[in-house]
Amino acid sequence: MSNSYRTIILARMGEIALKGLNRGKFERQLMDNMRWRLKEYGAFSIVQSQSRIWIEPKDVNPDVLEDKETAELVLNAVTQVFGLVSASLVRKFSGDMETIKEQALKLTEDILAEHDYKTFKVESKRGDKRFPLASPEICAREEMYVYSEKVEGHRGLPVGTAGKGMLLLSGGIDSPVAGYMMASRGMQLEAIYFHSYPYTSERALEKVKDLARIVSQYSGTILLHVCNFTDIQLNLYKNSPQDMLTITMRRIMFEIAEELANKQGCKCLITGESLGQVASQTIEAIQITNEVVKTMPVFRPLIGLDKEETCNISRRIGAFETSILPYEDCCTVFVAKHPKTHPQKKHIVEAEANLDIEALVKQGVEGIETYKIERTSKN
Ligand code: ATP
Ligand code: MG
């Protein structure tokens, strides 16, 4: 008995289906993103029909999905594209009715054995409701699609439908999650990392690149801008009071990030701040840091999450293991013993009296080096 099936993938669209007039734009972006995400696995025909998407290997590589391991990888890649609620590996049977029956029976036996299931139910659906037959009659047609499992997608909206944001990416747990969350709303990402070499090691930068690479599985390519922050920090260290160091440092970071964001066409800043988590994240500290950003919103998607919830998302997107690797970040090196947790305006005026902020921001922006980070890149 020869195989009369091919393995293909069925993906199901989520929120996009609710879009009104510009639904077409969202769908086109989703299809582009899927093509981009799958290109490393071979050539696929990706066809949309209503709220379903059918992914089928092209003739140049007809068997890519017949290997179980590869099929799982491709399925996983599909579920990482924002805009999909779920996806399944599907056996597409064709041939005469007898052959289809035999093959379907064999497949069912395999599935039952693999999972040790005792009972099962067969359902048939018409993907295209305009089709004139009722569902039971479709089972009499000579092509049949069979699947037994659904893998959850990451939902959201296709990246590229909501402009671009500048993520302040550190080596911690929070900021990669923040980037992932904004990307899930359709936002393309660039990122800036403030590097304090040699106070922080080369490894710390490598870790940030690794995290950007993990986020890029979902968000697509990320331009990672690395700002050499050491001289600026030493300047602040010398010329500004210890207990305000965290705040003055964060204000300069935000100003540099905003200037770069404007240069790059980003429409917002994104941070991993969560209210009350650490001294620099009291409402007063956030207010005083926020006020330096004049031209765009600062999004803090984790503001209302507790650490446990953030860690869960971090695990789910595969960032956690990398985030907890013990490389120091720039804030821990220059951190004061007793930072002011409820800074007031007058404190910041005093703290910045001896600083040439404009010159420091300019210095920061001019020293930026940029890397292109992609899932498959090794830089
Ligand atoms: P994370 O887990 O993201 O490192 P955190 O809990 O350590 O955050 P902070 O160190 O106070 O908190 O940083 C708050 C936010 O400021 C970070 O989520 C990130 O968006 C930004 N940030 C902090 N340090 C850096 C850095 N060196 N480069 C770029 N952004 C940074
Ligand atoms: Mg941190």
Side-chain angles (χ1 to χ4, degrees), residues 242-243 334-339:
Q242 287 293 306
D243 61 353
F334 289 93
V335 84
K337 283 200 187 64
H338 303 288

Side-chain angles (χ1 to χ4, degrees), residues 116-171:
D116 207 16
Y117 293 148
K118 299 279 179 278
T119 58
F120 70 100
K121 169 174 102 167
V122 178
E123 263 184 288
S124 63
K125 277 189 193 153
R126 277 176 302 156
D128 184 348
K129 299 289 185 210
R130 290 167 305 187
F131 197 77
L133 293 178
S135 293
E137 295 167 56
I138 290 183
C139 294
R141 276 165 60 81
E142 307 202 334
E143 202 166 72
M144 191 164 56
Y145 301 86
V146 180
Y147 63 85
S148 63
E149 277 176 71
K150 276 186 186 180
V151 178
E152 276 213 33
H154 285 253
R155 300 174 186 265
L157 294 170
V159 171
T161 56
K164 198 162 61 169
M166 180 66 70
L167 170 66
L168 281 79
L169 180 63
S170 67

